Amino acid sequence: QKAAEDVGSRDSILIMPTGTGKTLVACMVCELALKRADNPKAFALFICENGSLLEQQASSFLRDGPEEWRTSDTAIAVASGNE
């Protein structure tokens, strides 16, 4: 939570080893940014390197994000430049 708050309050680069929770922190940063925006049309953009990583990250965001991300069909959108 602290890392997400620190990263979410300014431009940041997060460097963490594999398996230490980068996706969870990114999810928390997006959640905090959307809450701070206080705008129902606000959105967060999360960019991935490839399609398989994109699907993995979207699944993690749905699992770890707030309940409304799981119950809204527009909260998480997955798109690939390769399609």
Side-chain angles (χ1 to χ4, degrees), residues 39-54:
N39 179 345
K41 294 184 180 184
F43 64 92
L45 177 65
F46 186 89
I47 300 172
C48 295
E49 182 178 347
N50 57 54
S52 60
L53 185 58
L54 182 72

Side-chain angles (χ1 to χ4, degrees), residues 62 66-78:
L62 286 172
E67 178 65 27
E68 58 264 24
W69 290 4
R70 289 183 286 286
T71 58
S72 170
D73 58 349
T74 60
I76 301 286
V78 176

Side-chain angles (χ1 to χ4, degrees), residues 7-24:
V7 169
S9 65
R10 61 188 179 280
D11 292 341
S12 302
I13 295 175
L14 185 62
I15 300 170
M16 296 170 61
T18 301
T20 58
K22 291 182 295 290
T23 302
L24 179 58

